[in-house]
Amino acid sequence: MEDGLPDKPRLNRSCDAPKVGIVHLGPGAFFRAFNAVYTDEAMANAGGDWGICAVSLRSPTARDQLDPQGGAFTSVTLSEDGPKPRVIESISRVLVAPEDPNAVVDAMADAGVKIVSLTITEKGYCHEPATGALNRTHPDVVHDLANIAAPRTAVGFIVAALAKRHAAGGKPFTVLSCDNLPSNGALARGTVLDFARAYDPALADWIAENVPFPATMVDRITPATTDADVEKLTEIAGYHDPACVFHEAFRQWVIEDDFADGSPAWDSVGAQFVKDVDAHELMKLRCLNGTHSTMAYLGYLAGLATIGDVVTDPEFAGLCEKLWHEEIIPTLPQPDGEDLPAYCATLMDRFKDTSIRHKTWQIAMDGSQKLPQRLLGTIADNLAQGHLPNGLILAVAAWMRYVGGTDEKGDPIDVRDPMADQLKAADGVFDLLGFRDIFSEMLAQNPAFRAPLTAAYVRLQSQGARAAVKEYIAQ
């Protein structure tokens, strides 16, 4: 009997694992639904030694799920026509960094590895969100600078592996950030160089001159896999796969074409190689992620469990439309090949897809890390243009209500955030505006922001989220 499913075999690899050409840090659900799928398809389409060594920086869960299956897992595309499973076999090996950090450094330093890619979320960069600089007082950064042979952070592992490459006279690898952050390549480069300068200035100079950090824009809605999802796949496919991922059909990957030693033929399966990703990334962060976070906080406070539930409500759907056309699109540069209103219409169709259950609570996680990129930059640009973005300010006020830890019924909220304790202990708007890791001095002290934010917070306290949204769309 295995995992309570005695009659169902475990999924297993159907062929030999491909030779490793990529080390990926952060093998969570999004990586499996996105990077691993693109790479599997690219190798099937154009060949190449692009197998992935997946590295978990914390938990052994991914290894424990994938190892018994030879690294294979199932990618399940959700649609209103029903789920469509496909076995993915691009993962060749899985490592758990805390168990053997030296093995991870050796894997990254191997001459056959040409790319080290990342999906480590905002907090994985150990940076100051308001400035983008490496937080050198972060306990794990302090540890890594003193123990470079046994790092804990992604940045520490990258510098340790590049140091071995440099010492051996080898080629550098490309560092490819695939996190939902503006200018994610520049962020990765900046934090790596900050760390390297503190560790070995000569190494930092070599990295600055030789290591590419291309920016990317990634997009595919991937809800957290549940036990019910695993059981559903067992019924459909006839095998047990605890590593499976469920995701929407839509996907988009825009990649700055800057690699040290080649890349998989991702463009042959739909990825876009471009000279400049910034406009595409900003479009996605503000139009998709910005409204996602807005709906997460306001929707959760209004008692709505999923994004589908939120946009089914006409007033919340109206909130999105108004945000896009009045507060977000006017701040955006025009990305090559994109129609911004049409892009937003596609987003609304994706939000309404009833086959995707993307929980507002899940999207609300780590808000202290997400707010500067998803909401605060757009607010600052609106204010600079002389426009008061009341809807986005309402979203920030909703985040402030949310991190207080109690919902509109007086029930506790399970706030998942690296700063959860400090945020919960804060006393209202002015205290929260004092967190410089989140709010820049310029924005926090701007009366054009402080006054309407305070008013929105009071409105949420007295009227509730639903009434506040209704009042906003009536303006």
Side-chain angles (χ1 to χ4, degrees):
M1 178 172 180
E2 183 181 0
D3 298 322
L5 296 163
D7 300 324
K8 302 300 179 185
R10 188 75 173 254
L11 171 66
N12 212 336
R13 177 178 289 281
S14 66
C15 60
D16 291 340
K19 184 178 178 181
V20 170
I22 299 171
V23 172
H24 182 85
L25 307 181
F30 181 78
F31 155 75
R32 278 175 267 168
F34 195 82
N35 303 61
V37 174
Y38 268 103
T39 303
D40 189 80
E41 293 178 5
M43 284 192 291
N45 194 49
D49 294 327
W50 295 107
I52 301 169
C53 173
V55 177
S56 174
L57 294 172
R58 294 286 185 268
S59 166
T61 300
R63 187 271 315 280
D64 294 347
Q65 291 176 340
L66 288 162
D67 265 7
Q69 305 176 176
F73 68 95
T74 312
S75 157
V76 184
T77 301
L78 296 169
S79 72
E80 294 183 355
D81 296 330
K84 298 177 181 178
R86 179 175 179 270
V87 176
I88 304 300
E89 298 185 315
S90 53
I91 297 176
S92 302
R93 183 184 183 195
V94 185
L95 297 174
V96 181
E99 294 179 359
D100 192 349
N102 198 254
V104 175
V105 174
D106 286 345
M108 295 166 67
D110 185 277
V113 169
K114 300 178 179 180
I115 296 171
V116 171
S117 52
L118 314 168
T119 50
I120 55 175
T121 76
E122 292 89 343
K123 59 188 175 184
Y125 293 86
C126 300
H127 70 301
E128 303 285 358
T131 65
L134 181 73
N135 178 3
R136 295 195 187 183
T137 65
H138 190 291
D140 289 342
V141 174
V142 173
H143 169 275
D144 287 2
L145 285 169
N147 301 275
I148 195 66
R152 294 175 180 170
T153 68
V155 172
F157 276 108
I158 290 168
V159 172
L162 287 170
K164 290 195 76 168
R165 289 278 185 109
H166 181 43
K171 290 183 179 180
F173 50 72
T174 297
V175 179
L176 186 69
S177 171
C178 299
D179 283 297
N180 285 326
L181 296 163
S183 303
N184 52 14
L187 174 64
R189 186 178 194 273
T191 53
V192 167
L193 287 176
D194 282 351
F195 186 102
R197 288 188 188 104
Y199 170 67
D200 179 351
L203 174 63
D205 291 342
W206 180 81
I207 292 172
E209 186 174 344
N210 295 282
V211 179
F213 293 82
T216 66
M217 187 271 265
V218 299
D219 191 4
R220 173 170 261 183
I221 295 172
T222 307
T225 303
T226 65
D227 291 342
D229 291 331
V230 177
E231 292 176 12
K232 181 190 297 183
L233 176 62
T234 303
E235 295 171 6
I236 296 168
Y239 56 75
H240 178 52
D241 177 9
C244 65
V245 286
F246 286 65
H247 51 77
E248 67 173 335
F250 179 91
R251 68 184 189 184
Q252 186 177 14
W253 196 2
V254 184
I255 308 168
E256 182 183 358
D257 193 3
D258 182 17
F259 290 83
D261 198 12
S263 64
W266 288 318
D267 54 333
S268 73
V269 292
Q272 303 162 253
F273 284 107
V274 300
K275 288 184 178 180
D276 188 351
V277 174
D278 287 353
H280 290 85
E281 181 65 33
L282 197 63
M283 172 189 75
K284 189 252 181 177
L285 275 167
R286 294 189 175 185
C287 294
L288 170 60
N289 300 129
T291 52
H292 247 177
S293 289
T294 298
M295 290 187 288
Y297 298 116
L298 287 165
Y300 185 96
L301 292 174
L304 301 168
T306 70
I307 293 298
D309 295 335
V310 173
V311 294
T312 299
D313 185 304
E315 288 171 347
F316 279 89
L319 166 69
C320 281
E321 297 287 356
K322 187 168 182 174
L323 286 176
W324 282 326
H325 296 293
E326 295 185 10
E327 300 186 12
I328 296 176
I329 289 177
T331 70
L332 294 175
Q334 177 63 48
D336 288 343
E338 296 285 353
D339 178 327
L340 290 169
Y343 176 77
C344 292
T346 300
L347 289 180
M348 183 59 77
D349 290 340
R350 294 167 64 194
F351 293 162
K352 290 180 177 178
D353 185 347
T354 57
S355 67
I356 301 289
R357 287 190 56 79
H358 208 173
K359 293 182 179 180
T360 50
W361 176 82
Q362 179 191 1
I363 299 165
M365 293 170 63
D366 299 333
S368 66
Q369 310 291 297
K370 296 174 179 176
L371 246 65
Q373 295 82 24
R374 297 186 175 195
L375 297 174
L376 301 182
T378 323
I379 289 171
D381 284 354
N382 270 276
L383 294 175
Q385 294 172 7
H387 180 253
L388 184 62
N390 283 312
L392 294 172
I393 289 173
L394 179 63
V396 176
W399 170 78
M400 290 180 163
R401 282 279 289 119
Y402 180 91
V403 299
T406 305
D407 69 14
E408 293 180 0
K409 296 179 181 179
D411 295 328
I413 299 172
D414 181 10
V415 178
R416 300 289 181 93
D417 192 288
M419 300 175 66
D421 292 342
Q422 302 100 297
L423 296 171
K424 188 174 181 179
D427 184 17
V429 172
F430 292 158
D431 268 9
L432 288 166
L433 285 174
F435 285 87
R436 286 294 165 265
D437 287 352
I438 305 170
F439 299 95
S440 69
E441 180 81 19
M442 183 176 294
L443 183 62
Q445 297 301 325
N446 187 342
F449 176 58
R450 290 168 66 97
L453 178 64
T454 304
Y457 184 85
V458 170
R459 221 164 31 248
L460 287 170
Q461 285 183 309
S462 62
Q463 301 175 12
R466 187 176 295 278
V469 168
K470 184 175 182 178
E471 181 176 315
Y472 165 70
I473 64 172
Q475 292 174 353

